[in-house]
Amino acid sequence: MTMIGPLGFAAPWLLLGLIALPVLWVILRAVPPAPIRRMFPGVVLLLGLQDDDQITDRTPWWLLLMRMLAAAAVIIGLAGPILDPETDDRITGTGPILVVTDASWSSAADWRAEMQGLDALLSRAERESRPVALIRLTDPQPPQFQAAGVLRSRLTGILPEPWQPEPAQVERALALLPDGNFDTYWMSDGLARGSRGGLLDALEARGAVTVFESPRSHYALTPARFEDGHILLAARRLRPGPAAEVTIAGHGLDPAGNPAVLVRTPLTFDQNATEAELELNLPSELRARITRFEIDGARSVGAVTLPDDSLRRREVALIAGNDNREGLELLSPLYYLQKALVPTADLLDGSLTEVLPANPDVIVLADVATLSPAEQDGVLDWVEKGGTLLRFAGPRLAASDVSRDSEDPLMPVRLRAGGRSVGGAMSWGEPKTLAPFAEESPFFGLDIPADVTVASQVMAQPDPTLADRVIAQLSDGTPLVTRKREGQGQIVLFHVTANAEWSSLPLSGLFVRMLDRLAVSSMPARPDAAELDGTVWQPIRVLDAFGNVRDAGTLPGVEGPKLLVDPLGPNLRPGLYQGEDRSLARNVVTAETRFEPVTWPDGVPVEGLSRPQETPLGGWLLALAIALLLADVIASLALSGRLRGGRPVAAALLAGLMLMPVDSRAQEAAPDDGFALQATAEVTLAHVITGDPRIDDVAQAGLFGLSEILFFRTSVEPAEPMGVDLETDELAFFPLLYWPVTPSQPTPSPAAYAKLNEYLRSGGMILFDTRDADVAGFGAASPEGRKLRDLAAPLDIPPLEQVPQDHVLTRTFYLLQDFPGRYNSRDVWVEAAPPDAELVEGMPFRNLNDNVTPVVIGGNDWASAWAMDERGNPMIRIGSGFAGERQREIAYRFGVNLVMHVLTGNYKSDQVHVPALLDRLGQ
């Protein structure tokens, strides 16, 4: 390359063409411009005349100068001019060049700068016609010398690997070195490794070696540790220096299941310190959602760490069929589970749709019978990926049809209808004890206290698979605990309740030890290689060199001992690996990883990655030449008078050049909070929109009338009633949903059923009204009744019974025995009382300890009886005369009792009200 000031020329001999420019000037000067043509009739008189003296006009000087500049631009552009080319004498040479790159995880942080620097070096080699070959130490392949331009075209496809060069790989690279002499450009990752010495000596024996590495201090993050309820993170930097601050980000899934940054906190390195520690105190729900920690902006897998099961205690989600029990805490279905798990596990609260994105280790369903299709699909997918579903029986499960005719996907066995009571007041038998645990049972070896007995249980349906799925049984051989494997997870069923209603098992220490054996309440420490002998671990997610998490796809499994002790490489990538009952993470950086800067011998020159920014000017000069030639054409046409409408054309061309596409982004509309604000300003009653305008209008007017009655007769001051769309609206804002059933209304989607089930489990009430006077007997034959059965099938509805005379609904505000609406039928259905609820002598009511019944079902068309216009006048006639108005009054009172029941629960069941109630009853 020939240098002229800051310019270099790849083909300087072409500049000799500039010598011809004066000759070209003379030639163009001698050639006259094209004559101007004018239409003039008198020119006919001049035809035939001859002029002996002719004077040739000359081309204007400015037009000649424009043509000379165009010719000069073409000549200089073809000579390959380059502004500020690479001129470092230390990397000069004439022979082949071998590019050696570490291409490790540490290289990823500066990979773009490394490739830009390598591109500049290859550009110089291309100008000097030096052949180039490339070898990556993390994946050595036989190098082949070829034109530098070929390698430059492949640079975008060359990527680092998420591991460091191991000694075996460096030895292979040494064996693959080509024969003969060549210079070496070594693109270093900056980390010290003892395996470099032999390769460096071999390269220096073949020619000059120049090292290129970044002077920046790289950062690394060691695996997170869980100690004393805190997450401990340790970060390192490659070189000491002034105090610096980095940001640690914890990534995971938000409650909606979308990837998000869940925590972001600074970490400070003291002056000259190479290590810093951070202590995070996160709620268990948030900690359970975190899938990786990383140093913001590091762009290296070394700055990313994946947590596994050894980081944390087990996350257990507890969900009850009805956890709104307002009686004794000891009767809560989750009380004993919470006491057993709090010391050793993190408990997650929320609905199924809320806890599934957190990917808990265990989900406990206590007497939950029916799941919506969306919930069932989500739980089944979670179990197949390694989750443990732990189910407990109870009255709801015993009274349901779940796993009766065929085995439910989320049940380990088929169940018989009803259940078995062996020790109650109505049973001749005695409570059963537990049989010794079999050797193949996970409970084998546990001592069984003599006072652990079972009075009631749900019975398994005998079939060929039952014996293999029983892991605990009673002394009479009936199953107590059954289990089945599903994908990588398991489904376990305790055939008794989670509280002490059916057995004394939850009262014993055996209960805690059984949960521990099922890996519910504790997680073993990180295993050693011997413990994993004979196991195969399947990769779930792997990391690339830049720290990006990717699905493992079809990568093969890894043997257990190799997973712990083998170095990372093509056959063992950093990532998360799943075993039979837990997961393990292989991170690039561990507490034992050597993280020190490399020290090169004094005779080896070390350069930075940044190279002088070369600017090729050939394209710009050729473009200038084309522009000048176009201007020459336009000027020639103008001088000859052949250009018409020049100004309009020029103006249009200028406008077209100035017209550029505008990149505009519409602002995302903020979510409309008006619905939530309106629903939560006061107590608000709501009705389900059916799609029938007449029915919806009557429902709105009915709830308006009931709200007016509540306002004038009670302390409840409801807001304007609202209609809700089950698909889009939030239901948790409303204590009561009035659902008029029509034969033509659409069936809700699985997502809507999931919301409805969560609404029922969290204490909400739905009043189903078939509006058919219950003529079919709880929906046996009428179109509305059949539609009700279809609508209610996916809902988790407990066993029902007709309202008993001593139900709390008969006395929450008014003393009632009938519940009329537009029609007067006594058949109203509510949640059934417990089988053991008995009337105590001297008490007028049974001590039901009942919750708010999640559903009330009837067909009396209550909305028509409640309906009022804005003036407070009834809208729909009820009966005739005084009897009709009396029926409407009782309908209002039933509505008041219903709302008060939702708002106060079993308040009226408290025995402190017995004297007042006896006085009201005249007893």
Side-chain angles (χ1 to χ4, degrees), residues 342-354:
V342 162
T344 56
D346 292 325
L347 304 185
L348 307 183
D349 296 326
S351 64
L352 273 175
T353 55
E354 292 172 342

Side-chain angles (χ1 to χ4, degrees), residues 491-550:
I491 300 172
V492 181
L493 172 64
F494 278 73
H495 292 239
V496 293
T497 57
N499 57 18
E501 289 184 355
W502 285 14
S503 75
S504 60
L505 177 62
L507 302 175
S508 68
L510 176 62
F511 185 62
V512 178
R513 294 192 295 272
M514 292 176 71
L515 295 178
D516 184 67
R517 288 292 183 92
L518 291 172
V520 173
S521 60
S522 65
M523 170 51 59
R526 188 175 181 89
D528 55 27
E531 294 178 11
L532 300 186
D533 191 21
T535 62
V536 176
W537 296 71
Q538 189 66 33
I540 302 175
R541 296 186 296 271
V542 294
L543 296 167
D544 64 13
F546 301 102
N548 300 316
V549 181
R550 299 179 178 177

Side-chain angles (χ1 to χ4, degrees), residues 201-220:
D201 293 340
L203 294 174
E204 287 183 312
R206 287 171 169 81
V209 177
T210 305
V211 175
F212 300 88
E213 72 177 33
S214 172
R216 290 200 314 144
S217 182
H218 296 172
Y219 292 93

Side-chain angles (χ1 to χ4, degrees), residues 309 314 359-361 379-389 483-492 518-519 536-541 551-553 555-557 576-584:
D309 291 341
R314 299 283 274 180
N359 193 28
D361 301 289
V379 173
L380 186 59
D381 180 66
W382 168 81
V383 170
E384 291 176 345
K385 293 180 180 179
T388 296
L389 178 63
R483 178 177 69 174
K484 77 171 179 180
R485 299 288 182 180
E486 189 69 36
Q488 298 178 359
Q490 61 178 344
I491 300 172
V492 181
L518 291 172
V536 176
W537 296 71
Q538 189 66 33
I540 302 175
R541 296 186 296 271
D551 186 79
L555 289 177
L576 192 64
Y577 292 78
Q578 182 65 48
E580 184 177 355
D581 57 358
R582 63 172 299 171
S583 62
L584 286 175

Side-chain angles (χ1 to χ4, degrees), residues 10 80 91 112 121 132 205 252 293 296 341 360 385 390 418 421 610 632 654 726 737 768 778 781 799 825 832 876:
I91 55 175
R112 180 176 298 177
L121 295 173
V132 180
F293 291 101
D296 272 352
L341 298 175
K385 293 180 180 179
L390 181 61
S421 178
S610 61
D632 176 78
L654 182 61
L726 297 178
L737 281 182
F768 289 98
F778 192 20
S825 170
I876 299 175

Side-chain angles (χ1 to χ4, degrees), residues 799-833:
L800 302 178
E801 67 178 357
Q802 293 187 15
V803 179
Q805 293 183 356
D806 58 350
H807 194 276
V808 69
L809 193 57
T810 65
R811 58 187 188 278
T812 49
F813 197 84
Y814 292 102
L815 295 177
L816 298 176
Q817 293 299 325
D818 297 305
F819 315 104
R822 186 180 182 187
Y823 308 110
N824 190 2
S825 170
R826 184 61 175 81
D827 295 337
V828 178
W829 299 76
V830 295
E831 181 179 5

Side-chain angles (χ1 to χ4, degrees), residues 706-748:
L706 180 58
S707 298
E708 291 293 298
I709 294 295
L710 288 166
F711 180 84
F712 288 109
R713 300 186 184 184
T714 72
S715 60
V716 181
E717 299 181 359
E720 184 80 13
M722 300 175 64
V724 296
D725 186 339
L726 297 178
E727 303 295 336
T728 59
D729 294 335
E730 177 58 55
L731 306 181
F733 303 140
F734 309 103
L736 173 68
L737 281 182
Y738 175 71
W739 193 335
V741 179
T742 63
S744 59
Q745 65 182 264
T747 302

